[in-house]
Amino acid sequence: MPHKTSTPQQHNAKAERARRLLAGSAVSREDSDDELGYEDLPWEWIYEAQKPREADQNGNGDDEDAAASTKTRRNKPVRATSRTQDQKIIGARMGSFQCQVGDCVLLKAEGEGSKAWVGMICEFAEDETGEKSANVMWFSSEHEITNKHKKRSDFLPNELYISPSWDLNPLESINGKAIIMSDKAFYAKYPSGKVPRKSKEYGKTFICRRGCNTRTATYTEEFVWEDIYHGTEEDVEALIERLKRDTKATRKRQKATKPTEDDEFHARDNVDDEPGTPRKRQKTSTVSTPRKPRTPSKLMTPSHKRVVVKKPLEFTPLGTRILAADHVFSSPFQTARSRLHVSAVPNTLPCREDEFASVYSHLEAAISDGSGACIYISGTPGTGKTATVREVVAQLNASVMEDELDDFIFVEINGMKVADPHQSYSLLWEALKGDRVSPSHALDLLEREFNHPTPRRVPCVVLMDELDQLVTKNQSVMYNFFNWPGLRHSKLIVLAVANTMDLPERTLSNKISSRLGLTRITFPGYTHEQLMKIIQSRLEGVPGNIVDSDAVQFASRKVAAVSGDARRALDICRRAVELAEADALEAEPVPGTPSKSAVKANKGSQPSKTLGKVTIATVKRAINEATTNPLQQCLRGLPLSAKVLLAALIAKTRRTGIAESILGEVLDEAKRMAKMDTGGNMIEFLLKDELAPTNKNMHSTARQYSKDPRVLSMGTSVIDLMEAGIIGLETQKADRTSKIRLSIGEEDVKLAFKDDPEIKNLGF
Ligand SMILES: Nc1ncnc2c1ncn2[C@@H]1O[C@H](COP(=O)(O)OP(=O)(O)OP(=O)(O)O)[C@@H](O)[C@H]1O
């Protein structure tokens, strides 16, 4: 490859750039001074027996100082992460260039021209594909410390901080050796404070006198580089220990007591730390992957399509007013209602301790290891899956605030809320980079992102809720989200939440899903005792003892008998509180006139002592209301064929785990169900008529067939159900290939048909 030439002007410009050492987070350096030469030779391991330094053909006379720091460990074996024929890897070589553990190296910064990152090699690794990498501990410049309050003002022009942050980088990104010195050694060698431009050390020499966790801006005490570091393996380990120990921030959360001056200082620190959402890292330059070919620019897809970056959607937040608790919850009823509301975030999640611990430990391990993970969480509706995951994320976020855990990005993608499952790609990309791009571009970019290493990539936790809704025809969205965490550089942690246990097997085949190595956590439905605990814990501290424990038990038993769904139990109890509250208001005496309830009470229809209290009777009323709402009434009044069809649709959805089914298959299912119904007297007709054309024109014909006005053909039922908004049909013209899905909650259908003698035997 020809040597690059530059005009004098270009050279001056380059030199100027190089003089502005540490101008960004990466450092500038002369790219004409490439120690590795311009030929892309393959990288090779140096094994223990080969005594690498003796074979050093580097010919780089000025390298002596660079090597000085490693003198004491020459020929000493280093920690190895892979072995070949029982030989230990002690270094790596490309042509005449060699490096070992403990060496400080320059790594190319992608798209940054002459810029480079500086890191210390801590170990070598080779993956199953044969890709050779080095685990590098980063040096950071003061530009990376964004905390204005803690940023030091005494940094020197070419000072770097060694930081407790590591990344695996391919050996191809190594671009030469860096020389690290104490400030004293540096000024002794370069009294002017500048490395002469002609020197081979120009652009490669840095001062290091402190360690720093750049995220929290926590510094170690000042040290003398040459005292603490001679390049031995022990020195690397001691340095890592020192950094971990001394850059752990002592920041504590604000106490309820009067803040001290120190607390106030730290509280200021937290100003930009929005509670509940992990802070996003600033975008940083990236180390390039292989030196050749260059990876395409950020705004090009791997297929060289231009990416149109859309402006992020901007929301104008509504003004928020925080009302005092006393003001909002002026009565025990109001307090109870708000605590029982399903949108309230409970203080605790009783009966989910094991599931919480399991999700927490998997997530924490993946974030701190910087690895990917895919956790598949299943359980029927209302079993606390979403609530548990959100609580885990909130707690992990608190650990980040306490500097006990590395930063992570959190993004929630809800299958119910995305119009097209492919939008998930755009949402993930936006969470990672802040750019909104089309789904297909986002997919290209994500593919490239997860297949290539980037220094200091922040782990990303994705909650994919209502996964069933995201399953597309070719399963590509689900496959990608399950597959990416397994890619070595992705640091992607996917929490997939679905109602069915075996959705991956059903939709991706056993072979693929077992290769994906999902971690599975199942949330069982709540028992009535558990539902009682959940409700009682929400009511804790509500004054006035307004809910009888018998009433809570009654509601819990009723719900547990059907579904074990905490949402439904909470809804019933909240409604019961509303009814009791209305009773209490009614009972309030209006001056001069006896209240209606008082009259009722006097008549003995309701004992006055229960007025305004939630009793079993109040819960019964609430349940009754829930079961007599217009939707319930509509469902109960459906013709038998429509009921069988809905039962079949639910059975099918449950079996496949996919919200959408093919109409023809649902009709077949209905037929099977009908056959099972031994006592059914109208099923025979349904079977005959099942294949009748199902478009609108057949309405009247189908009705004519019917001997019983309650029985319509399946085809007519499909149309009627669609028009009532109970099911959704892909097209107006229903044929066997159309897709059909339930547009109301499965629970509503279950509740309506629970005691229906005609349908309850159909085994759905
Ligand atoms: N153990 C619990 N303690 C307190 N509240 C709970 C508990 N489990 C669930 N809940 C509450 O029940 C409601 C439903 O829970 P959540 O949304 O987490 O269920 P889910 O399993 O994700 O349901 P779906 O599959 O329908 O999304 C929420 O209001 C939640 O706070």
Side-chain angles (χ1 to χ4, degrees):
M1 187 172 171
H3 194 282
K4 287 177 226 157
T5 53
S6 50
T7 64
Q9 288 89 335
Q10 280 171 330
H11 186 83
N12 285 343
K14 264 190 211 166
E16 180 49 40
R17 259 189 293 142
R19 251 193 301 282
R20 286 192 292 112
L21 289 175
L22 319 178
S25 356
V27 295
S28 299
R29 60 179 306 256
E30 291 273 81
D31 59 356
S32 59
D33 183 22
D34 195 322
E35 269 178 66
L36 280 79
Y38 291 91
E39 264 185 274
D40 269 341
L41 299 170
W43 278 89
E44 294 167 350
W45 290 132
I46 301 168
Y47 296 101
E48 193 173 18
Q50 286 175 267
K51 299 199 172 178
R53 296 287 178 165
E54 279 161 24
D56 194 341
Q57 306 287 309
N58 200 347
N60 179 355
D62 254 25
D63 199 32
E64 268 173 32
D65 283 313
S69 64
T70 59
K71 262 179 196 157
T72 51
R73 64 174 163 80
R74 283 185 177 179
N75 302 330
K76 192 175 184 310
V78 296
R79 183 171 13 161
T81 53
S82 106
R83 281 160 183 266
T84 305
Q85 296 159 352
D86 271 351
Q87 284 179 303
K88 220 172 181 183
I89 299 169
I90 59 166
R93 167 197 298 138
M94 187 189 104
S96 59
F97 179 87
Q98 295 189 0
C99 51
Q100 289 195 330
V101 166
D103 281 352
C104 296
V105 287
L106 295 157
L107 295 119
K108 283 200 165 184
E110 184 185 321
E112 300 268 331
S114 59
K115 286 191 178 165
W117 297 88
V118 184
M120 178 187 287
I121 298 177
C122 294
E123 60 184 351
F124 290 104
E126 181 171 334
D127 70 9
E128 60 285 354
T129 66
E131 191 185 359
K132 298 182 173 68
S133 332
N135 198 0
V136 166
M137 175 158 66
W138 298 108
F139 286 88
S140 306
S141 77
E142 55 85 19
H143 288 273
E144 282 184 76
I145 298 161
T146 48
N147 185 322
K148 289 192 200 89
H149 303 291
K150 285 188 166 185
K151 194 178 174 100
R152 302 188 71 94
S153 54
D154 63 353
F155 51 85
L156 300 165
N158 54 350
E159 180 174 351
L160 295 179
Y161 302 107
I162 180 85
S163 59
S165 151
W166 295 265
D167 273 301
L168 266 187
N169 285 279
L171 296 183
E172 284 84 352
S173 59
I174 294 175
N175 197 28
K177 296 263 179 74
I179 304 157
I180 308 294
M181 297 178 169
S182 64
D183 50 340
K184 212 166 140 214
F186 183 84
Y187 286 107
K189 193 162 182 184
Y190 305 108
S192 70
K194 285 181 184 166
V195 181
R197 205 164 353 121
K198 283 188 189 141
S199 165
K200 290 217 165 167
E201 292 183 359
Y202 180 77
K204 305 175 182 176
T205 310
F206 306 95
I207 292 171
C208 181
R209 53 182 175 149
R210 282 192 182 91
C212 177
N213 179 334
T214 46
R215 183 171 51 79
T216 59
T218 316
Y219 302 84
T220 63
E221 291 289 307
E222 195 168 335
F223 48 65
V224 176
W225 184 257
E226 291 79 14
D227 288 353
I228 65 155
Y229 197 73
H230 312 92
T232 65
E233 189 181 350
E234 291 74 28
D235 285 345
V236 177
E237 276 163 17
L239 187 59
I240 292 172
E241 275 314 301
R242 175 190 290 259
L243 288 172
K244 282 187 178 166
R245 186 189 62 226
D246 296 351
T247 63
K248 198 165 152 41
T250 49
R251 182 168 59 172
K252 287 275 167 281
R253 277 204 256 180
Q254 272 186 287
K255 301 170 197 113
T257 50
K258 193 170 173 289
T260 62
E261 221 172 78
D262 194 39
D263 285 336
E264 277 173 12
F265 173 77
H266 293 313
R268 275 203 307 275
D269 256 8
N270 287 331
V271 167
D272 52 2
D273 295 345
E274 195 183 307
T277 26
R279 292 154 297 160
K280 281 189 196 173
R281 275 259 180 137
Q282 291 271 303
K283 265 189 274 174
T284 51
S285 320
T286 54
V287 167
S288 79
T289 40
R291 284 167 10 109
K292 258 194 275 171
R294 283 205 170 276
T295 44
S297 95
K298 181 173 159 251
L299 298 180
M300 298 282 277
T301 66
S303 44
H304 298 280
K305 276 184 248 154
R306 204 164 66 83
V307 173
V308 181
V309 178
K310 294 179 190 160
K311 203 167 167 276
L313 281 179
E314 281 169 15
F315 296 96
T316 312
L318 294 171
T320 33
R321 205 155 53 102
I322 297 168
L323 298 173
D326 301 357
H327 184 92
V328 185
F329 310 130
S330 49
S331 84
F333 293 108
Q334 282 167 334
T335 314
R337 269 198 283 120
S338 83
R339 296 261 187 93
L340 291 169
H341 201 286
V342 287
S343 68
V345 180
N347 294 333
T348 55
L349 288 172
C351 315
R352 280 295 170 243
E353 292 79 7
D354 293 349
E355 292 80 4
F356 178 92
S358 180
V359 177
Y360 187 96
S361 60
H362 282 105
L363 222 56
E364 188 193 34
I367 293 171
S368 47
D369 294 353
S371 57
C374 190
I375 301 163
Y376 183 77
I377 297 171
S378 60
T380 52
T383 47
K385 301 180 294 293
T386 311
T388 304
V389 168
R390 288 201 182 134
E391 181 58 22
V392 167
V393 170
Q395 301 248 345
L396 289 171
N397 191 44
S399 299
V400 173
M401 302 295 204
E402 298 278 356
D403 298 315
E404 284 158 2
L405 187 70
D406 287 338
D407 238 351
F408 64 94
I409 294 168
F410 176 63
V411 53
E412 209 173 312
I413 299 173
N414 189 314
M416 291 289 246
K417 294 184 187 162
V418 291
D420 167 15
H422 296 95
Q423 276 176 0
S424 311
Y425 299 138
S426 304
L427 292 171
L428 178 58
W429 183 253
E430 189 172 355
L432 290 177
K433 306 284 170 179
D435 299 332
R436 222 158 53 86
V437 297
S438 74
S440 58
H441 282 156
L443 175 61
D444 274 348
L445 293 163
L446 288 165
E447 284 283 351
R448 201 182 80 207
E449 177 80 2
F450 296 143
N451 277 295
H452 293 105
T454 319
R456 294 173 243 198
R457 176 173 291 159
V458 179
C460 179
V461 177
V462 191
L463 165 58
M464 301 196 74
D465 213 347
E466 313 279 358
L467 185 74
D468 325 46
Q469 307 288 330
L470 284 172
V471 177
T472 48
K473 201 173 162 196
N474 61 8
Q475 328 301 358
S476 61
V477 173
M478 187 164 92
Y479 174 77
N480 281 327
F481 274 86
F482 283 10
N483 189 43
W484 286 329
L487 302 177
R488 188 153 55 78
H489 306 295
S490 74
K491 295 196 180 176
L492 184 70
I493 304 156
V494 171
L495 293 163
V497 175
N499 288 341
T500 24
M501 220 162 150
D502 49 0
L503 185 65
E505 285 71 21
R506 290 189 186 286
T507 52
L508 294 177
S509 89
N510 282 337
K511 199 170 152 219
I512 296 179
S513 35
S514 57
R515 176 180 70 71
L516 293 170
L518 309 174
T519 301
R520 283 160 198 276
I521 301 172
T522 309
F523 282 52
Y526 292 116
T527 62
H528 84 267
E529 287 97 346
Q530 290 177 323
L531 289 174
M532 276 175 71
K533 251 192 186 173
I534 291 168
I535 297 164
Q536 269 152 357
S537 87
R538 291 220 180 190
L539 289 173
E540 236 163 58
V542 176
N545 192 22
I546 53 165
V547 185
D548 268 0
S549 64
D550 279 359
V552 174
Q553 186 181 130
F554 183 76
S556 307
R557 280 188 187 277
K558 281 284 171 190
V559 173
V562 185
S563 60
D565 176 344
R567 192 183 285 116
R568 192 162 285 274
L570 289 167
D571 278 343
I572 288 172
C573 291
R574 200 193 69 240
R575 183 62 193 141
V577 171
E578 277 171 4
L579 292 172
E581 186 180 17
D583 288 348
L585 286 175
E586 232 183 295
E588 258 174 33
V590 177
T593 50
S595 73
K596 275 192 244 162
S597 322
V599 174
K600 256 198 263 172
N602 287 342
K603 283 182 185 165
S605 63
Q606 192 172 17
S608 56
K609 71 180 168 64
T610 62
L611 276 181
K613 207 167 179 11
V614 175
T615 60
I616 292 181
T618 336
V619 171
K620 273 187 184 163
R621 275 165 66 201
I623 294 175
N624 198 30
E625 235 187 53
T627 52
T628 53
N629 66 28
L631 176 62
Q632 288 294 317
Q633 283 170 353
C634 165
L635 288 170
R636 291 213 185 94
L638 286 173
L640 179 59
S641 45
K643 288 181 183 172
V644 176
L645 190 97
L646 286 178
L649 177 58
I650 288 174
K652 185 90 190 137
T653 309
R654 229 183 269 160
R655 195 134 18 88
T656 57
I658 307 170
E660 241 165 26
S661 303
I662 308 288
L663 179 57
E665 292 175 8
V666 174
L667 292 173
D668 292 342
E669 181 73 34
K671 198 170 159 184
R672 261 195 303 278
M673 281 184 150
K675 272 185 186 162
M676 274 163 40
D677 181 53
T678 47
N681 51 359
M682 284 166 283
I683 299 301
E684 211 179 304
F685 171 78
L686 290 172
L687 292 178
K688 274 190 209 140
D689 201 30
E690 179 260 307
L691 292 172
T694 55
N695 62 35
K696 276 192 163 184
N697 301 334
M698 290 309 295
H699 266 226
S700 50
T701 329
R703 283 182 212 277
Q704 283 162 22
Y705 284 135
S706 177
K707 292 167 207 142
D708 181 330
R710 286 219 322 106
V711 180
L712 299 178
S713 81
M714 284 280 177
T716 311
S717 295
V718 170
I719 302 295
D720 286 351
L721 288 171
M722 184 184 71
E723 284 175 354
I726 295 170
I727 58 164
L729 211 58
E730 193 183 39
T731 50
Q732 283 288 316
K733 189 173 163 293
D735 58 39
R736 283 186 65 93
T737 58
S738 301
K739 289 205 198 117
I740 174 174
R741 65 158 69 203
L742 200 62
S743 304
I744 56 169
E746 185 187 318
E747 293 305 305
D748 287 315
V749 182
K750 267 174 78 177
L751 191 68
F753 296 171
K754 184 166 61 83
D755 300 317
D756 188 325
E758 282 180 334
I759 197 91
K760 71 175 186 190
N761 295 330
L762 291 188
F764 83 103

